[in-house]
Amino acid sequence: MSKKKKIIVLASMVALLVLTGCLNYFLNRPDSQKANADSTLSYSDYFTASRNDRTASRNETVMYYKTIIEGEATSAEAKENAEKELAALVAGMESEQRVETLIKSLGYEDCIVTIGKEKINVIVKSDALTEEESAQLLDMVSTETGKSIGYIRVKSIDL
């Protein structure tokens, strides 16, 4: 198999993996599942479901990269790319955990942070955020991740 075909196959597999993760998220969102007896979801349900979806998607991605890295028929270039992507994924996971811990240290009961290549999404458990609270969160996330405020979206959720 030529190098070009291998790259196309690898890119296709990554695209399918991303598609699987997106479908998993959209089909298993808390708002698409049954609500509890009050017809509302609790905060813990939302944040737990979001973390579970994120973890499941990440586990699939890690397994995919490990398969590429450990594959005997995989080219050196594909292994190197998979190792770089895996390292970036692990670094992103560590950053998410660090930012979530810092946000909770500010007094928020729960939050979920998703760090992607394009955006950082922060969702906190709060009735509403004041401008000062939003600015504090933006500054903290920007400082911790090194991304400018334009890449960060902060949202409160009141279920």
Side-chain angles (χ1 to χ4, degrees), residues 21 24-25 47-61 89 92-93 95-97 100 111-115 121:
N24 183 35
Y25 172 76
F47 289 104
T48 300
S50 295
R51 278 191 194 88
N52 289 342
D53 288 345
R54 182 177 69 183
T55 300
S57 177
R58 296 277 169 77
N59 288 341
E60 288 177 23
T61 305
L89 178 67
M93 291 165 52
S95 292
E96 288 172 350
Q97 189 174 19
E100 287 176 359
C111 67
I112 186 117
V113 175
T114 308
I115 299 177
N121 293 302

Side-chain angles (χ1 to χ4, degrees), residues 8-73:
I8 291 171
V9 169
L10 180 63
S12 299
M13 292 171 95
V14 170
L16 286 173
L17 183 62
V18 170
L19 178 64
T20 302
C22 291
L23 285 173
N24 183 35
Y25 172 76
F26 287 111
L27 294 175
N28 293 313
R29 285 190 314 204
D31 62 347
S32 69
Q33 297 172 352
K34 277 184 130 180
N36 63 17
D38 317 343
S39 296
T40 61
L41 291 170
S42 69
Y43 285 114
S44 61
D45 290 342
Y46 173 79
F47 289 104
T48 300
S50 295
R51 278 191 194 88
N52 289 342
D53 288 345
R54 182 177 69 183
T55 300
S57 177
R58 296 277 169 77
N59 288 341
E60 288 177 23
T61 305
V62 168
M63 284 180 17
Y64 172 74
Y65 288 135
K66 283 186 176 184
T67 302
I68 293 171
I69 293 167
E70 295 168 357
E72 292 179 20

Side-chain angles (χ1 to χ4, degrees), residues 95-108 111 137 140-141 143-145:
S95 292
E96 288 172 350
Q97 189 174 19
R98 221 176 22 257
V99 171
E100 287 176 359
T101 301
L102 289 171
I103 290 171
K104 288 177 184 177
S105 75
L106 294 175
Y108 295 96
C111 67
L137 287 169
M140 191 269 308
V141 174
T143 301
E144 188 62 33
T145 62

